[in-house]
Amino acid sequence: MKIEIANSFYMNGEFDKAIEYFNKIIEKDARNSEAYEGRGLCYYSLLKIEDALNDLNQAVELNPENH
């Protein structure tokens, strides 16, 4: 699973597809902070604020220097 594919779905406004792809990435690597960040941004775009905050917080916890 490549993060670039999920990011391209996000950039094209295909948030649900991006979330599905980010979920697959997280299933394979639960410590992938970039996937949590991307999924959080998708949730934010869909106005799922609580889910967005949870994922963005997880991204920061996993990699505080990058987020």
Side-chain angles (χ1 to χ4, degrees):
M1 298 276 138
K2 293 193 176 187
I3 199 91
E4 293 82 13
I5 295 170
N7 287 336
S8 70
F9 284 132
Y10 169 76
M11 295 302 290
N12 289 321
E14 298 178 78
F15 305 121
D16 290 323
K17 284 185 182 180
I19 289 169
E20 288 177 30
Y21 214 89
F22 285 124
N23 286 341
K24 291 177 184 178
I25 294 168
I26 291 168
E27 283 176 23
K28 290 186 182 272
D29 180 9
R31 299 198 49 81
N32 189 320
S33 65
E34 191 176 351
Y36 282 103
E37 179 183 19
R39 189 174 72 176
L41 293 173
C42 289
Y43 284 140
Y44 183 81
S45 297
L46 294 169
L47 301 178
K48 296 180 178 183
I49 305 304
E50 187 173 335
D51 291 330
L53 290 174
N54 288 335
D55 274 1
L56 294 171
N57 282 331
Q58 184 67 25
V60 170
E61 284 180 27
L62 290 171
N63 194 351
E65 294 176 13
N66 270 351
H67 301 286

